[in-house]
Every structure is written in structure tokens, then in C-alpha cells.
Amino acid sequence: MPLSDTTEHRPEVADATRTPLPTAVARFEIRHSRFLDPKGNAVRPLPDFARDRDQLVALYRGMVLARRFDAKAVALQRTGRLGTFASALGQEAVPVGIASAMRAEDLLLPSFREHGAQLWRGVSPVELFLYWGGDERGSNFAEAREDFPVCVPVGTHAPHAVGVALAFKLRREKRVAVCVFGDGATSKGDVAEALNVAGVSHLPVVFVINNNRWAISMPLAQQTAAETLAQKAIAAGIEGEQVDGNDVIAVREAMSRALTKARAGGGPHLIEALTYRLGDHTTADDAGRYRAGSEVSARWAEEPIARLRSHLVAQGLWGKADEEQLLAEITLTIERAAEAYLATAPQGPDAMFDFMYRNLPKDLAEQRQAAIELARE
Ligand SMILES: Cc1ncc(C[n+]2csc(CCOP(=O)(O)OP(=O)(O)O)c2C)c(N)n1
Ligand SMILES: [Mg+2]
């Protein structure tokens, strides 16, 4: 007998004496975590790794390296020696927090502001300069060989990350795919589809939203009416959480939990890291045309490098001499990398065809030939 025919399951009519039927079928909450406030004070007990000076200094070094690379890349572009470059000024804690929690065998699918993560994983600054200089060799990493190259098309690498994670699962490899994209990318169908498939197939993939509050000139408030971007995971049946993305300890801690879960077969995870883009969108942009300088100056008080340095200094773990030594070492590394990049003879126009295809389609073979002839003229 159909349920509706039984007395018990007839639709209820208003009867104040009976317990009302439940009117909500799902509830969710988005956790937010932070360990260090903007002044570097611990707001709750720190995780174990953050009680270890060497590990904290390594995180600090990773962020300073990223910032120095960034500044040099902008300088090279401004002097006509690099292509358009996407600075990650102020966002260094996100990629460094991510990469420091990953294992070498995991796989990074970055967007275009994650050079801090790439450098941490062994991609060399020379390779990164080559990439941004338009040289195909910049995507053929000597280390971290299976990591994906920079992805400039917004969000298109999210479905790829799902494919990578599916391969890991089918091969029974205990590896995790880590896919990073911006707040703007969360409005793309690619990202929604990737989250959905990752959830349905329970895949070992961690998505990280590098939420710098802007997508070129589009502020977050116009990007979405949702209160958080982390909650976009919920509709896909995935756990989503938010972290202070200018607190490298919080990013790393959340990442570690997500990776451990994914590695153990616990499925995907989404982390929204709240940070702020202190610079222009790219070297081809002038953010002064669409955003108030006062907004940017206020955000400088929250930036991640000074925050961790304040913490280290307050704990007596870091001093002037340490800082000078670190800056000298990193400056040398970056300057040498820039020199090596500038000394690299450029590739011919055929490289972009040969790097992409094993067997060139006929029309592209014609274009390849035309490009070679044009370059000879
Ligand atoms: C598919 C696609 N559409 C448009 C663009 C042009 N574009 C480059 S970056 C960007 C905004 C991205 O914003 P967000 O995802 O927040 O990343 P952010 O640049 O802030 O790191 C757009 C629209 C692109 N690169 N790819
Ligand atoms: Mg953005």
C-alpha cells in the first residue's frame, strides 16, 4: 500500500497539540580558523609544527623568497625583459601554507599566483622566469615533474585536478591532487563541475580558493551573494572551511588535515583562504583606476610576512642578524636566477608547437612552418 494511504502518513493538518514536522532537512556551518592575529599574537594554542623554530623559519623563508621573486619579476617586466606577470604580493601565505603541508608525491595544479608553492616544491626561479618570459622550457620542471604548469585560463584546471585524483584512486596510489584557484574562478562552471564529480566519486583532491577579494576589477561582493565561498563545497557534498589566508600557520594546518583525510580515503575538501591582493591584477593592470588606495593601505596591516616575523621576534626566535642573512641569501638566489634567465638564448617560434604536440595536426603544421619562415625574415 502506498504510504500516503496509511493513516500515519497522511499530510498533517495544523494541530497545535502535536509536534510539528521538521521543516529543515539539512544544516551546515562553515568553520573559520586563525592562529596568529595580524600583529602576530597567537589567538589559540599553536599546532605542533608551529612550536618548532626550524619549521616556522622555513615557512618565513618560503614567503620571503616568493616576495623577492615577485619583485624581481615585476622589475624585469617593467624593463621589457619579461612578459605580463601576475604578482602575488600579500598572498604569500596561501601557496607556502599549501606546499609546506604537501608531500613530494602529491601533485600541485596551480593557478597563476602560486609561485610560492612552486618554489617550495622545487620548481626553480629560473624556470619560473622562463615561463613568464614566454619560454616553453619554463613549464618543463626538473623537479616536481608531475606538477601541472601555471594555468592562466581561469578555473580550467579544476576538472583536470579531478582527473588526476581519479587516476590516483584507480591506481590505488596514496597521493593527493591539490588545485588552487581564485575567488573569481568559483563562478566558473568548470569549478562547480569539478567539485561535483570530486564529491560523487569521493576523490583524493583538495581545492583551495586563493580568495584575494578581487577578480581583476570585480570585487568579491559582486562576484557572489554567498556569505562564504567555502560553502560552495556543501552543495557538492564536500566539506568546506575558511581560513585566514594571511596566517601561514592556519593555511598549513587546514591543508594538513585535508591532505591526511584525502590520503586515508576520506574524500575531497575545499579550503577558502581569505587574503588580499595588495598589487595590481597583473603588470598589464592599473588597480588605481577601480579601487581606493585607502582600502589597500588598510590591508597592509594584515599582510602575512610581517605577521609571522612579529611572532618570531616576540618569541625570541628571530633577530636583525637572522633577517639580514636571510635577505642576503635570497637576494643572491633571485639575482643569479634572473641572470641565468637573461642569459638563456630564446627558443624559435616552433617551440610552442613542438612542446604542445607529439603529432601536429595538419593546419598547425602549416602554421609552424609559416612561423619559422617569418622568424627567418
Ligand atoms: C577562461 C578565462 N576567462 C577570462 C580570463 C581573463 N582573466 C584573467 S584573470 C581573471 C580574473 C581571475 O580572478 P580570480 O579567479 O579571483 O583570480 P585572481 O586573478 O584574483 O588571482 C580573468 C577574468 C582568463 N584568463 N580565462
Ligand atoms: Mg581573486
Side-chain angles (χ1 to χ4, degrees), residues 112-113 152-154 182-185 188 212 214-216 281:
F112 43 81
R113 277 186 226 282
V152 168
V154 172
D183 41 300
K188 290 282 306 289
N212 63 7
W214 288 90
I216 313 185
H281 169 69

Side-chain angles (χ1 to χ4, degrees), residues 212-262:
N212 63 7
R213 327 285 175 124
W214 288 90
I216 313 185
S217 53
M218 168 85 65
L220 188 62
Q222 284 177 43
Q223 190 66 248
T224 180
E227 210 169 342
T228 72
L229 296 176
Q231 74 204 52
K232 299 207 170 199
I234 306 301
I238 297 176
E239 197 182 332
E241 65 176 294
Q242 201 178 59
V243 298
D244 182 334
N246 285 347
D247 174 4
V248 70
I249 298 175
V251 178
R252 173 159 170 182
E253 193 273 338
M255 242 351 253
S256 296
R257 276 188 286 104
L259 287 165
T260 304
K261 181 181 86 170

